Amino acid sequence: MAAPKKGRSASAQSRPGRSLALILIAIAALTGGMFLSGHPTPRLGIDLAGGTSITLTAKNEPGQPNAINKTNMNTAVDIMNRRVNGLGVSEAEVQTQGSDNIIVNIPKGTNSKEARDQVGTTAKLYFRPVLATEVSGSAASASPSPSASSSSSSKATDKATDKATDKATSSSSASPTASATSQGRAVTDALKADSTPSASSSASSSASPSGSSSASPSASGSASASAAATKLQAQYTALDCTDKAQRAKAGEGSKATDPTVACGKNNTSGQWQKYVLGPAEVKGTDIKSAAAVFDTQSAAGWKVTMEFTSGGSKKFADITGKLAKNQSPQNQFAIVLDGDVVSDPFVQQALTGGSAEISGSFDQTEAQSLANMLKYGALPLDFKESSVTTVTAALGGEQLHAGLVAGAIGLGLVMIYLVVYYRGLSVIAIASLMVSAILTYVLMALLGPAIGFALNLPAVCGAIVAIGITADSFIVFFERIRDEIREGRSLRPAVERAWPRARRTILVSDFVSFLAAAVLFIVTVGKVQGFAFTLGLTTVLDVVVVFFFTKPLMTLLARRKFYASGHKWSGLDPKALGAKPLLRRTRRPSAPVDPKEA
């Protein structure tokens, strides 16, 4: 049994070059990926590179004078944090200021416009039926056709049912087109019925003359049109969504239970559209989850999936069942966030499965943005964007320079100590430190565009602390080798006997460091997470470097005469270490051995 064991040991010792080649190939691949990604430097946090600061002020909702409280403010901070993280942003700071303000700091390098649109858009999320729509600023008879509406809208389908086909879309395109005037009259009819679009109102509107110029809600001959319907029609007629000021005031003061007007941008043509929308049928709180996924089965591209709560499922089934009976645009529902229509998909059947998907001409960014709005759209308070400012680095170049100098001094002192105390062994330690530093830098640069990691000053401190953790691993290994030499063993067996004992100590030490970093990352927020993340990353890299670089390199150098002979500058001189001759014991046979058997 002894021979195979020795064979395996010899085989393992004779192949340290494989481990070295593996880690060097990995370094080369990661470095190449870093340059190919176009991000050769780590992304800096807001304290080092500046960014955007958004101040949001909470407002009490009508009829809820005491809505601004600590619980609601903390809930709003949590939702805004998730919104920002949904954009792939890291190191963003979301915190309360005073009793009614929330400050959102977003690092430079993030799409600040997109972040502002989602973080600053803090009103409730609603699903409203579309009663009428047209391109804003166009003539009254220039209402978009259903085909244009279909192309600009996404298709909403139930997961449990067949998806809308191109044939269904072309069929929708062939339906009659209502003019802006007749659509306004249809709104009036819908308001009188129960503020819900019906098949009869759609047919009535489509049968109206497209060239009619009357905008009066009483054009159908009914003298009992309500004052609310007249006001709504007037707002719709006068609304120009190309005007930023009018967009901001569209639907101002309307309640979730009332019809309203709104604006939305056509993602295909880039034109602004104006809408008349019915009362909210589904709220953002009725959505359990939402996600952007890529459809690999039908090659339809990106889509947004939604799952509703039990109550939301029933509401969604009811509204889609009503809308499916109508023609465009009254078979559409508008997803409204802060008064803006972010999407207006159409339906062709009742969606009763409790989950649905919105598919169409999405790209990845659009799908993820809509999914984030659906998932994190409902806030417990209304907020007003008080100010948006671009901030300079809080610490600036001098502080960053000071941090880097401190790291360089610490690294230099560690190297001096290694050279003085370990002499030739310091070559292995310094080379290992350089490999660890290269891997840390490359991974930080790659994690910026990958997960939004931003390097702030606490993260720099974490990297500096990691120098000591990495050097400690080398010291444990070297001391184990020197202990074996003190016992009288030559270098090559000393290295192999020392490694299992040193390996256990290194793994336990690194596990404790990683556990501390993980707990710190979970229980803290903001900049402290940067410190914890960097500490955890460098701890993992320490294990990789020790196993795949330090140990194989030590095995190779142990075969060199300079180290194997115990040169006085090798750091492994038996005399300097006080080595004793190895005590050799002889074992006497327990029983006589038969010469024939021998």
Side-chain angles (χ1 to χ4, degrees):
M1 296 297 294
K5 183 175 181 180
K6 289 181 180 179
R8 287 196 300 269
S9 178
S11 176
Q13 295 178 38
S14 63
R15 298 176 179 176
R18 291 188 178 183
S19 297
L20 289 174
L22 180 63
I23 194 169
L24 292 177
I25 291 172
I27 292 174
L30 290 172
T31 304
M34 178 185 71
F35 285 104
L36 290 175
S37 69
H39 298 84
T41 58
R43 190 164 66 90
L44 300 180
I46 194 170
D47 56 350
L48 297 177
T52 302
S53 179
I54 305 171
T55 302
L56 302 170
T57 302
K59 299 187 299 180
N60 282 315
E61 297 181 353
Q64 299 183 10
N66 300 318
I68 301 177
N69 53 55
K70 184 177 181 180
T71 300
N72 283 346
M73 291 294 287
N74 289 338
T75 301
V77 167
D78 180 61
I79 292 175
M80 290 181 189
N81 252 321
R82 287 183 292 168
R83 282 184 179 181
V84 176
N85 291 333
L87 295 172
V89 180
S90 183
E91 304 300 332
E93 298 176 1
V94 183
Q95 56 190 1
T96 57
Q97 184 182 70
S99 60
D100 60 351
N101 290 324
I102 292 180
I103 308 297
V104 183
N105 293 325
I106 303 171
K108 184 179 180 181
T110 304
N111 188 333
S112 59
K113 182 180 183 302
E114 184 180 2
R116 179 182 172 185
D117 289 343
Q118 292 208 16
V119 176
T121 303
T122 56
K124 302 292 191 299
L125 179 75
Y126 295 117
F127 284 36
R128 291 176 176 266
V130 175
L131 304 182
T133 181
E134 67 174 271
V135 176
S136 187
S138 64
S141 61
S143 175
S145 68
S147 59
S149 177
S150 299
S151 64
S152 64
S153 307
S154 304
K155 300 176 183 178
T157 58
D158 196 305
K159 287 182 179 179
T161 59
D162 294 335
K163 298 178 181 179
T165 61
D166 294 336
K167 180 179 179 181
T169 304
S170 62
S171 174
S172 174
S173 301
S175 59
T177 303
S179 68
T181 304
S182 61
Q183 282 179 341
R185 185 161 57 249
V187 173
T188 303
D189 294 337
L191 287 170
K192 289 187 298 179
D194 61 353
S195 297
T196 305
S198 64
S200 60
S201 64
S202 176
S204 174
S205 65
S206 63
S208 301
S210 298
S212 174
S213 59
S214 173
S216 171
S218 59
S220 63
S222 175
S224 61
S226 67
T230 304
K231 181 180 179 181
L232 185 65
Q233 176 61 46
Q235 290 176 346
Y236 178 66
T237 302
L239 180 61
D240 182 5
C241 291
T242 59
D243 187 335
K244 184 178 181 180
Q246 291 195 42
R247 289 201 306 269
K249 294 182 179 181
E252 190 174 36
S254 61
K255 298 179 181 179
T257 55
D258 296 335
T260 187
V261 295
C263 294
K265 200 167 189 178
N266 187 308
N267 292 328
T268 303
S269 65
Q271 293 179 302
W272 285 99
Q273 290 185 217
K274 61 180 180 179
Y275 297 82
V276 179
L277 306 176
E281 300 286 348
V282 181
K283 297 181 180 179
T285 51
D286 293 321
I287 300 176
K288 185 177 181 180
S289 64
V293 297
F294 187 80
D295 190 345
T296 57
Q297 295 181 349
S298 60
W302 286 93
K303 63 183 180 182
V304 177
T305 60
M306 300 179 291
E307 184 177 353
F308 295 90
T309 61
S310 56
S313 298
K314 185 178 184 305
K315 295 177 185 178
F316 192 68
D318 290 343
I319 182 60
T320 53
K322 294 175 183 179
L323 295 179
K325 300 175 184 178
N326 302 329
Q327 295 179 339
S328 181
Q330 294 179 341
N331 64 345
Q332 298 173 227
F333 63 83
I335 302 174
V336 185
L337 186 62
D338 197 23
D340 291 333
V341 177
V342 296
S343 184
D344 59 350
F346 66 83
V347 295
Q348 293 182 323
Q349 59 190 24
L351 307 181
T352 59
S355 59
E357 62 184 29
I358 303 176
S359 59
S361 54
F362 283 120
D363 59 28
Q364 182 177 2
T365 301
E366 292 170 343
Q368 289 178 341
S369 178
L370 179 57
N372 287 334
M373 291 179 184
L374 292 170
K375 191 174 182 180
Y376 308 128
L379 286 175
L381 293 168
D382 286 331
F383 285 86
K384 180 179 70 173
E385 193 177 87
S386 300
S387 65
V388 178
T389 57
T390 300
V391 297
T392 57
L395 299 177
E398 293 183 2
Q399 286 77 4
L400 177 60
H401 178 72
L404 295 176
V405 168
I409 292 174
L411 182 61
L413 290 175
V414 169
M415 288 182 176
I416 291 173
Y417 168 79
L418 291 172
V419 170
V420 172
Y421 191 76
Y422 288 109
R423 300 188 181 183
L425 285 177
S426 64
V427 174
I428 302 172
I430 292 173
S432 299
L433 283 173
M434 293 298 101
V435 169
S436 180
I438 293 171
L439 284 173
T440 301
Y441 179 88
V442 172
L443 286 176
M444 284 183 175
L446 288 172
L447 290 175
I451 64 171
F453 172 76
L455 185 66
N456 57 16
L457 192 61
V460 174
C461 294
I464 295 173
V465 170
I467 296 174
I469 295 176
T470 304
D472 183 61
S473 298
F474 307 151
I475 291 173
V476 169
F477 186 30
F478 294 160
E479 287 302 320
R480 292 293 188 186
I481 295 174
R482 288 157 70 110
D483 286 343
E484 294 294 333
I485 292 176
R486 288 187 182 98
E487 293 180 5
R489 293 183 176 84
S490 58
L491 181 57
R492 291 182 66 177
V495 169
E496 299 308 320
R497 288 179 61 88
W499 172 240
R501 299 166 62 188
R503 179 178 59 201
R504 288 193 296 269
T505 304
I506 292 169
L507 288 175
V508 170
S509 175
D510 283 343
F511 174 76
V512 172
S513 297
F514 182 82
L515 183 62
V519 172
L520 192 63
F521 183 85
I522 293 171
V523 303
T524 58
V525 295
K527 297 180 180 179
V528 181
Q529 282 189 328
F531 172 84
F533 182 86
T534 305
L535 183 61
L537 175 67
T538 51
T539 301
V540 172
L541 289 178
D542 175 48
V543 175
V544 173
V545 170
V546 170
F547 275 71
F548 290 92
F549 186 81
T550 307
K551 166 56 171 59
L553 183 61
M554 185 70 236
T555 301
L556 285 177
L557 293 182
R559 302 171 183 176
R560 300 290 181 244
K561 183 178 179 181
F562 177 78
Y563 291 94
S565 64
H567 192 281
K568 65 178 182 178
W569 288 105
S570 67
L572 298 168
D573 183 5
K575 293 182 180 179
L577 295 175
K580 299 178 181 180
L582 182 64
L583 180 62
R584 299 183 181 275
R585 297 179 181 179
T586 58
R587 293 189 304 172
R588 302 171 66 181
S590 57
V593 179
D594 191 340
K596 294 182 179 180
E597 294 181 359

